[in-house]
Amino acid sequence: MGQVFMIYRYLFIWIFLISIPLNCLGQQALVLSGSDSSIDKFVFKELLTPAYKSIGIDVNMLAMPSKRSLVNSNSHVTAGEIARITNINETFPNLVRIPVPIMVSGIYALSLQPVNITSWQDLQPYNIAYRRGIQVIKNNLTEHGLKSSVVNKDDELIQFLLRKRSDLVIQDKSLAIASIKKIRRAGLKTSSIKFIEPPLLEVSLYHFLHKSEKALLPRITKQLRHMEKEGVIKQKIALYFKTLMQN
C-alpha cells in the first residue's frame, strides 16, 4: 500500500512539474552575439526579438568585437550570431545558417577625393584601411593580394580617412553612415567623404545558430519566412536606412 502511495505521489509531482511553463522554472533567455554595430543592434531589436518571442522564446544580445563574437558563438558560449554573410560557417563550421536573408549590405570604398574604382583590383595603387572583424572585406583583400591597415572601431576608421592616414577605407555602407553621423555630432566635418559607386560587393546577411540549437532551426526559420512573406523584414530594414540617412 505504501509503495502504491509513493508511485501516485511521484506521478502527481511529475504531472505538476511538466504543466508549469518553462519560464516559471527559471528558463534562461537565449543569448545571441553580434558586433557592437548599429545594424546588429537594430536587427536584434526589430527583427530577431519579435521573431523569437512569437515562438515563445526570450532573447538577449551580447555585443562585442566582431571576431570575438564569432569565436564565442562557434564555441557555443552564445547560441548564435545575429547577422552574418552567407558563407561565414566555412570559417566557423559549428554555425548553421537560417535560410532567410535578413538584409542586403553594400561594401563600399570611401575617399576624400573622386576616384575611379569599379573592382577590387582597382584598389591596388592606394593605401587602404578597414575595420577589424569584417570577414568579407578581409577575405576579398587577401584574395586580391591587397595590403591594408586595420583599425578596431567603425568611427576610428572614418577618422583614419579624415586624417589622411589612408587614401581609401573599405566599409559596409550602413556602418559607415552611422559612424559619419557620430563623428559629425562630435563637431568634425565629414562633408568631404565620398562613397565610390558602384559598391565593391553586395552581400546578403543571415541569422546563424550553433549546431547544438538545431531543435530551434525549423521554428525560427518558419517565423522568419513568414515575416519575409508579409514584407516585415523589408519594411523594417527600409526604415532603418531611412532613419540612418536623416540628419
Side-chain angles (χ1 to χ4, degrees), residues 110-113 127-129 149 156-169 189 192-193:
L110 284 72
S111 173
L112 299 179
Q113 303 293 333
N127 294 320
I128 305 165
S149 300
E156 287 178 6
L157 183 65
I158 301 303
Q159 293 186 39
F160 205 80
L161 178 63
L162 290 172
R163 293 170 185 158
K164 299 182 180 180
R165 296 185 64 184
S166 67
D167 302 318
L168 304 169
V169 297
K189 294 183 179 180
S192 58
I193 298 175

Short mmCIF file of all heavy atoms in Angstrom, two decimals, residues 110-113 127-129 149 156-169 189 192-193:
data_model
loop_
_atom_site.label_atom_id
_atom_site.label_comp_id
_atom_site.label_asym_id
_atom_site.label_seq_id
_atom_site.Cartn_x
_atom_site.Cartn_y
_atom_site.Cartn_z
N LEU A 110 35.45 54.33 -49.57
CA LEU A 110 35.20 55.72 -49.23
C LEU A 110 36.49 56.50 -49.42
O LEU A 110 37.58 56.02 -49.09
CB LEU A 110 34.74 55.88 -47.78
CG LEU A 110 33.30 55.50 -47.43
CD1 LEU A 110 33.10 53.99 -47.45
CD2 LEU A 110 32.91 56.05 -46.07
N SER A 111 36.35 57.72 -49.94
CA SER A 111 37.53 58.52 -50.25
C SER A 111 37.23 60.00 -49.98
O SER A 111 36.06 60.40 -49.91
CB SER A 111 37.92 58.32 -51.71
OG SER A 111 38.94 59.21 -52.10
N LEU A 112 38.29 60.79 -49.86
CA LEU A 112 38.12 62.24 -49.75
C LEU A 112 38.20 62.91 -51.12
O LEU A 112 37.87 64.09 -51.26
CB LEU A 112 39.20 62.83 -48.83
CG LEU A 112 39.21 62.33 -47.38
CD1 LEU A 112 40.34 62.98 -46.60
CD2 LEU A 112 37.88 62.59 -46.70
N GLN A 113 38.65 62.15 -52.12
CA GLN A 113 38.80 62.67 -53.47
C GLN A 113 38.05 61.77 -54.45
O GLN A 113 37.91 60.57 -54.20
CB GLN A 113 40.29 62.70 -53.87
CG GLN A 113 41.18 63.52 -52.96
CD GLN A 113 40.87 65.00 -53.01
OE1 GLN A 113 40.37 65.51 -54.02
NE2 GLN A 113 41.16 65.72 -51.93
N ASN A 127 46.61 53.31 -50.60
CA ASN A 127 46.71 52.87 -49.21
C ASN A 127 45.30 52.65 -48.68
O ASN A 127 44.46 53.55 -48.75
CB ASN A 127 47.42 53.93 -48.36
CG ASN A 127 48.87 54.10 -48.76
OD1 ASN A 127 49.55 53.12 -49.05
ND2 ASN A 127 49.35 55.34 -48.80
N ILE A 128 45.05 51.46 -48.13
CA ILE A 128 43.70 51.04 -47.76
C ILE A 128 43.63 50.75 -46.27
O ILE A 128 44.60 50.27 -45.67
CB ILE A 128 43.30 49.76 -48.54
CG1 ILE A 128 43.46 49.97 -50.04
CG2 ILE A 128 41.87 49.34 -48.22
CD1 ILE A 128 43.45 48.67 -50.82
N ALA A 129 42.47 51.00 -45.68
CA ALA A 129 42.21 50.60 -44.29
C ALA A 129 40.81 50.03 -44.19
O ALA A 129 39.92 50.38 -44.99
CB ALA A 129 42.38 51.78 -43.34
N SER A 149 45.75 48.60 -43.78
CA SER A 149 45.83 48.87 -42.35
C SER A 149 44.51 48.46 -41.72
O SER A 149 43.47 48.40 -42.40
CB SER A 149 46.08 50.36 -42.10
OG SER A 149 47.29 50.77 -42.70
N GLU A 156 36.63 55.01 -35.69
CA GLU A 156 38.07 55.18 -35.85
C GLU A 156 38.46 55.07 -37.33
O GLU A 156 39.39 55.75 -37.79
CB GLU A 156 38.83 54.11 -35.05
CG GLU A 156 38.80 54.33 -33.55
CD GLU A 156 39.52 53.22 -32.80
OE1 GLU A 156 40.12 52.34 -33.46
OE2 GLU A 156 39.49 53.23 -31.57
N LEU A 157 37.75 54.21 -38.05
CA LEU A 157 38.04 54.03 -39.47
C LEU A 157 37.77 55.32 -40.24
O LEU A 157 38.57 55.74 -41.08
CB LEU A 157 37.19 52.88 -40.03
CG LEU A 157 37.43 52.52 -41.50
CD1 LEU A 157 38.84 51.98 -41.69
CD2 LEU A 157 36.40 51.49 -41.96
N ILE A 158 36.65 55.96 -39.96
CA ILE A 158 36.32 57.21 -40.64
C ILE A 158 37.31 58.31 -40.26
O ILE A 158 37.75 59.09 -41.11
CB ILE A 158 34.88 57.65 -40.30
CG1 ILE A 158 33.88 56.56 -40.71
CG2 ILE A 158 34.54 58.96 -40.98
CD1 ILE A 158 33.92 56.18 -42.17
N GLN A 159 37.70 58.36 -39.01
CA GLN A 159 38.69 59.34 -38.59
C GLN A 159 40.05 59.06 -39.23
O GLN A 159 40.81 59.99 -39.54
CB GLN A 159 38.81 59.35 -37.06
CG GLN A 159 37.56 59.86 -36.37
CD GLN A 159 37.73 60.01 -34.88
OE1 GLN A 159 38.78 60.41 -34.41
NE2 GLN A 159 36.70 59.67 -34.13
N PHE A 160 40.36 57.80 -39.43
CA PHE A 160 41.59 57.40 -40.13
C PHE A 160 41.63 58.04 -41.51
O PHE A 160 42.67 58.55 -41.95
CB PHE A 160 41.61 55.87 -40.24
CG PHE A 160 42.98 55.27 -40.36
CD1 PHE A 160 43.77 55.09 -39.23
CD2 PHE A 160 43.47 54.84 -41.59
CE1 PHE A 160 45.03 54.50 -39.33
CE2 PHE A 160 44.71 54.26 -41.69
CZ PHE A 160 45.51 54.09 -40.56
N LEU A 161 40.48 58.01 -42.19
CA LEU A 161 40.38 58.61 -43.53
C LEU A 161 40.48 60.13 -43.44
O LEU A 161 41.21 60.76 -44.23
CB LEU A 161 39.05 58.21 -44.18
CG LEU A 161 38.75 58.80 -45.56
CD1 LEU A 161 39.78 58.34 -46.58
CD2 LEU A 161 37.34 58.43 -46.01
N LEU A 162 39.76 60.75 -42.52
CA LEU A 162 39.77 62.20 -42.39
C LEU A 162 41.16 62.75 -42.06
O LEU A 162 41.52 63.86 -42.48
CB LEU A 162 38.78 62.63 -41.31
CG LEU A 162 37.29 62.47 -41.65
CD1 LEU A 162 36.42 62.76 -40.43
CD2 LEU A 162 36.88 63.36 -42.81
N ARG A 163 41.94 61.98 -41.35
CA ARG A 163 43.31 62.39 -41.01
C ARG A 163 44.30 62.08 -42.13
O ARG A 163 45.51 62.29 -41.99
CB ARG A 163 43.76 61.69 -39.73
CG ARG A 163 42.99 62.15 -38.49
CD ARG A 163 43.32 61.24 -37.31
NE ARG A 163 42.51 61.58 -36.15
CZ ARG A 163 42.26 60.75 -35.14
NH1 ARG A 163 42.75 59.51 -35.18
NH2 ARG A 163 41.53 61.13 -34.12
N LYS A 164 43.79 61.51 -43.23
CA LYS A 164 44.58 61.18 -44.41
C LYS A 164 45.68 60.17 -44.11
O LYS A 164 46.75 60.19 -44.70
CB LYS A 164 45.16 62.45 -45.04
CG LYS A 164 44.10 63.43 -45.50
CD LYS A 164 44.69 64.65 -46.16
CE LYS A 164 43.58 65.61 -46.61
NZ LYS A 164 44.13 66.82 -47.26
N ARG A 165 45.36 59.26 -43.20
CA ARG A 165 46.29 58.17 -42.90
C ARG A 165 46.11 57.02 -43.89
O ARG A 165 46.88 56.07 -43.88
CB ARG A 165 46.11 57.71 -41.46
CG ARG A 165 46.45 58.79 -40.44
CD ARG A 165 46.37 58.28 -39.03
NE ARG A 165 47.37 57.23 -38.77
CZ ARG A 165 47.46 56.56 -37.63
NH1 ARG A 165 46.60 56.82 -36.64
NH2 ARG A 165 48.38 55.63 -37.46
N SER A 166 45.07 57.11 -44.70
CA SER A 166 44.89 56.17 -45.81
C SER A 166 44.20 56.93 -46.94
O SER A 166 43.54 57.96 -46.72
CB SER A 166 44.05 54.97 -45.39
OG SER A 166 42.73 55.36 -45.10
N ASP A 167 44.38 56.44 -48.16
CA ASP A 167 43.71 57.05 -49.31
C ASP A 167 42.24 56.67 -49.36
O ASP A 167 41.38 57.46 -49.74
CB ASP A 167 44.38 56.60 -50.61
CG ASP A 167 45.86 56.94 -50.67
OD1 ASP A 167 46.22 58.06 -50.25
OD2 ASP A 167 46.65 56.07 -51.09
N LEU A 168 41.99 55.41 -48.98
CA LEU A 168 40.63 54.86 -49.03
C LEU A 168 40.38 54.03 -47.78
O LEU A 168 41.30 53.45 -47.22
CB LEU A 168 40.47 53.93 -50.25
CG LEU A 168 40.76 54.47 -51.64
CD1 LEU A 168 40.78 53.32 -52.64
CD2 LEU A 168 39.72 55.50 -52.05
N VAL A 169 39.11 53.96 -47.38
CA VAL A 169 38.71 52.97 -46.39
C VAL A 169 37.59 52.13 -47.01
O VAL A 169 36.82 52.62 -47.85
CB VAL A 169 38.24 53.60 -45.06
CG1 VAL A 169 39.39 54.36 -44.41
CG2 VAL A 169 37.04 54.51 -45.25
N LYS A 189 34.02 67.84 -39.34
CA LYS A 189 33.44 67.99 -40.68
C LYS A 189 33.64 66.71 -41.47
O LYS A 189 34.75 66.17 -41.54
CB LYS A 189 34.08 69.17 -41.40
CG LYS A 189 33.76 70.53 -40.77
CD LYS A 189 34.37 71.65 -41.58
CE LYS A 189 34.02 73.01 -40.96
NZ LYS A 189 34.61 74.13 -41.74
N SER A 192 33.44 66.07 -46.92
CA SER A 192 34.37 65.71 -47.99
C SER A 192 34.38 64.20 -48.27
O SER A 192 34.96 63.76 -49.26
CB SER A 192 35.78 66.17 -47.64
OG SER A 192 36.20 65.59 -46.41
N ILE A 193 33.75 63.42 -47.41
CA ILE A 193 33.77 61.97 -47.58
C ILE A 193 32.83 61.55 -48.71
O ILE A 193 31.67 61.96 -48.74
CB ILE A 193 33.37 61.25 -46.27
CG1 ILE A 193 34.37 61.57 -45.17
CG2 ILE A 193 33.29 59.74 -46.49
CD1 ILE A 193 33.98 61.00 -43.82
#
